[in-house]
Amino acid sequence: EPEVTQTPSHQVTQMGQEVILRCVPISNHLYFYWYRQILGQKVEFLVSFYNNEISEKSEIFDDQFSVERPDGSNFTLKIRSTKLEDSAMYFCASSGQADAEAFFGQGTRLTVV
Amino acid sequence: ELKVEQNPLFLSMQEGKNYTIYCNYSTTSDRLYWYRQDPGKSLESLFVLLSNGAVKQEGRLMASLDTKARLSTLHITAAVHDLSATYFCAVDLNYGGSQGNLIFGKGTKLSVKP
């Protein structure tokens, strides 16, 4: 069964460092998303991406964040200068149609120390 | 600002019992999703509800959507231990256009005890 895969599963980084979280969406999907979940809290939308550009982004997705689909298969989230409060589980998701459910990856746990 | 409220946030059930989780949202939308999350795991899609009056059932779970009341319910019938997980509802803010911003509720942590 096709699935969204994310790497790494766990990333520890020092405050101020750049991190890149990687995702391989389901191959025939066209819509891509990043969400985050701070430990014990609800899932929060970060950004959606369609047709090689950002469709929507939340207030969380400030200038420190960027997304890219560099090669037609990977979908990355970059945080330029990490802060302690960026520590969370980051989920990538993809969907095939605008009103279809999004399939989520296993997540990357980012710990900023 | 769209708010999505679930209740209860914590639910301890006995096996074999029935219960309903409620999801209220604050603005017009006709796309609502239910997800399940096991501890430390990802979000598993359970139901997609795309119109008023939509009802979907899978095993012991049944979800419904009333867009006029801005309410969705997830009904659990004859609960079993395997249903223990956190259940999230999510509302699509950008219905009618490209899908974008899913607003999640805080989740309902369900524990089914023998």
Side-chain angles (χ1 to χ4, degrees):
Chain A
E1 185 176 330
E3 59 180 15
V4 177
T5 56
Q6 290 184 244
T7 55
S9 56
H10 192 188
Q11 171 102 39
V12 181
T13 189
Q14 290 207 323
M15 192 168 54
Q17 295 296 305
E18 175 183 286
V19 294
I20 297 176
L21 309 183
R22 301 180 191 280
C23 169
V24 179
I26 294 173
S27 62
N28 61 346
H29 282 183
L30 302 174
Y31 299 85
F32 313 113
Y33 315 91
W34 283 101
Y35 289 82
R36 79 171 186 192
Q37 184 179 33
I38 295 170
L39 186 63
Q41 298 188 25
K42 66 178 181 179
V43 179
E44 299 175 293
F45 170 79
L46 293 178
V47 66
S48 62
F49 192 87
Y50 170 71
N51 201 25
N52 286 319
E53 61 183 21
I54 291 174
S55 307
E56 299 287 338
K57 60 182 180 179
S58 71
E59 292 177 352
I60 303 167
F61 193 89
D62 61 21
D63 291 344
Q64 293 300 311
F65 291 86
S66 62
V67 289
E68 196 177 30
R69 187 159 162 79
D71 57 12
S73 62
N74 290 285
F75 179 52
T76 61
L77 174 70
K78 184 194 292 186
I79 309 174
R80 286 190 186 79
S81 178
T82 50
K83 304 189 263 303
L84 293 176
E85 53 264 38
D86 292 329
S87 295
M89 181 74 92
Y90 287 80
F91 291 106
C92 172
S94 69
S95 65
Q97 301 172 38
D99 60 359
E101 75 262 49
F103 291 86
F104 283 75
Q106 292 295 323
T108 293
R109 180 166 297 285
L110 176 65
T111 303
V112 182
V113 297
Chain B
E1 180 190 345
L2 173 62
K3 292 184 180 178
V4 179
E5 295 187 354
Q6 284 182 241
N7 72 83
L9 297 181
F10 298 94
L11 177 56
S12 182
M13 295 177 66
Q14 292 265 307
E15 278 192 331
K17 298 292 187 183
N18 305 330
Y19 207 83
T20 300
I21 299 170
Y22 297 89
C23 175
N24 289 88
Y25 53 98
S26 62
T27 194
T28 305
S29 177
D30 59 2
R31 288 188 202 164
L32 191 137
Y33 306 81
W34 283 96
Y35 287 89
R36 167 182 171 146
Q37 186 180 39
D38 291 293
K41 303 290 186 181
S42 186
L43 294 151
E44 175 191 352
S45 176
L46 294 175
F47 299 106
V48 180
L49 303 168
L50 297 177
S51 61
N52 186 40
V55 177
K56 292 197 174 177
Q57 182 161 5
E58 181 73 34
R60 301 174 188 273
L61 300 178
M62 183 173 72
S64 66
L65 177 62
D66 181 343
T67 58
K68 293 179 182 175
R70 298 177 186 172
L71 170 68
S72 180
T73 61
L74 180 66
H75 187 72
I76 303 154
T77 302
V80 293
H81 179 70
D82 285 352
L83 290 179
S84 297
T86 299
Y87 293 84
F88 291 94
C89 65
V91 176
D92 187 345
L93 185 60
N94 295 309
Y95 71 100
S98 62
Q99 184 187 25
N101 191 346
L102 280 184
I103 306 295
F104 281 79
K106 290 185 177 181
T108 296
K109 186 172 182 179
L110 172 65
S111 175
V112 181
K113 301 184 186 305

